[in-house]
Amino acid sequence: MRNLFYILFFALTILSCKKSDDTPEFGYEYFGLDKGKFVTYDVMEIFHDVELSPSHDTVRYTLKTVVGEDIVDNENRTASKIFRYAYDAETDELIDERVWTAIIDQGRGEIVEENQRKIRLVFAITSDKTWNVNAFNTDDPQEVYYEDLFKPYSIGGSQIDSSVRVEYEDFFSLVDYRRKYEVYGKNIGLIHRSFKDLTIKDFDTTAIQYGTEVHYSLKDYGVE
C-alpha cells in the first residue's frame, strides 16, 4: 500500500509539472502599464512627395510617455492615463503634450489614441494569435499577428532580454512598399515601431515617390 501511495504521488507531481510547463505566458508585462513607468523614444517622421521641395522632409523629436493615474473611460472601465510629451530633438523644448488612455481588458491591450480605440496586443501571447487592431474604431480593418516571441532585442544601446514583435504589413510590388511592425519589451512596453507606407518606382524601395514613414526607437525607460 505504501509503495502504491508513492507511485501515485510521483505520478501526480509529474503531471502537475507538465501542466505548468504547457501553460502559456499571458504576457501582460509586455504592455507596460505599471503606474509611474516612463519610456522615451527617438522619433523620426519622414514625408515623401517628389512634386514638392524638399521632396523628402524629415522631422525628429524625443517622445516621453508616462503611465499616470487611473481614469474611468467611456466604456465605464478603469483605465490608465498615458501622458505623452514631445520635445524638440535639438533644443529639448516641449513642443506637444497629450493624454491617451490604456487598459488591459478581456485579454486585450487597448490604447485610445486621439479618440481612436486600438487593440495593440492580445493575451495570452502565442504564435497562433491574429486580431484586428481597428475592431473598435472606424478605420479600415488591420489584421496583425505575433512573430519572434520572447527573443532578446537590441535597440538604442539597450539589450532587452525578452521581446515580441507584432507584424502589421509586409507588402512589396512594382509601385508599392508597405512595411509595418512593432516590438514590445518585457516590463517596458513598446520599444520599437517602424511604419512605412510608400509609393516607389520600378520595384526600387530607394526610389520613393510619395508616402510617409514613422520610426520609434527606445532611448530610455524606468519608473518615476
Side-chain angles (χ1 to χ4, degrees):
M1 182 64 72
R2 178 175 296 179
N3 289 338
L4 179 60
F5 170 80
Y6 284 122
I7 291 171
L8 290 173
F9 174 79
F10 285 116
L12 289 172
T13 300
I14 292 171
L15 288 173
S16 176
C17 291
K18 179 174 177 55
K19 182 178 180 180
S20 176
D21 291 342
D22 292 341
T23 302
E25 182 172 353
F26 278 92
Y28 298 136
E29 60 272 26
Y30 288 86
F31 201 48
L33 272 191
D34 294 332
K35 189 168 294 185
K37 179 179 291 295
F38 75 86
V39 185
T40 59
Y41 308 92
D42 289 320
V43 181
M44 179 172 63
E45 299 183 4
I46 310 175
F47 305 89
H48 304 277
D49 189 333
V50 292
E51 296 182 1
L52 298 178
S53 181
S55 300
H56 313 284
D57 192 15
T58 301
V59 176
R60 299 176 187 271
Y61 58 93
T62 301
L63 177 66
K64 180 179 181 180
T65 65
V66 183
V67 180
E69 67 268 23
D70 291 343
I71 187 175
V72 177
D73 69 8
N74 57 8
E75 298 289 325
N76 202 33
R77 306 173 302 173
T78 301
S80 298
K81 285 185 178 181
I82 306 296
F83 296 96
R84 296 170 58 87
Y85 308 97
Y87 299 90
D88 184 279
E90 294 184 358
T91 67
D92 206 31
E93 178 185 357
L94 180 66
I95 56 178
D96 191 55
E97 183 176 355
R98 306 187 183 201
V99 181
W100 291 0
T101 62
I103 191 173
I104 295 175
D105 183 47
Q106 298 185 42
R108 303 184 302 265
E110 303 176 10
I111 298 182
V112 177
E113 310 172 2
E114 312 304 329
N115 294 319
Q116 294 292 309
R117 184 174 158 203
K118 299 190 176 185
I119 306 171
R120 291 301 187 184
L121 299 179
V122 294
F123 310 101
I125 294 176
T126 58
S127 59
D128 61 347
K129 286 285 197 312
T130 62
W131 69 96
N132 177 13
V133 171
N134 298 320
F136 298 116
N137 64 56
T138 57
D139 290 348
D140 293 336
Q142 176 74 69
E143 294 293 328
V144 302
Y145 57 93
Y146 286 120
E147 284 282 3
D148 290 341
L149 300 188
F150 317 126
K151 293 187 176 181
Y153 198 82
S154 180
I155 186 169
S158 296
Q159 183 65 36
I160 310 304
D161 292 337
S162 181
S163 71
V164 298
R165 188 170 82 241
V166 179
E167 284 286 346
Y168 280 69
E169 194 169 12
D170 190 358
F171 180 80
F172 176 59
S173 73
L174 175 68
V175 295
D176 292 300
Y177 179 50
R178 297 191 294 274
R179 181 71 181 101
K180 304 176 183 180
Y181 65 91
E182 294 180 331
V183 181
Y184 291 80
K186 189 172 185 178
N187 298 318
I188 303 173
L190 179 70
I191 59 175
H192 188 195
R193 173 179 290 162
S194 184
F195 280 16
K196 295 182 180 181
D197 192 347
L198 306 173
T199 298
I200 61 176
K201 186 176 181 180
D202 299 330
F203 292 110
D204 186 353
T205 59
T206 65
I208 302 170
Q209 307 298 295
Y210 309 97
T212 58
E213 302 180 44
V214 179
H215 305 279
Y216 284 35
S217 179
L218 177 69
K219 183 177 182 179
D220 191 18
Y221 64 94
V223 178
E224 294 187 333

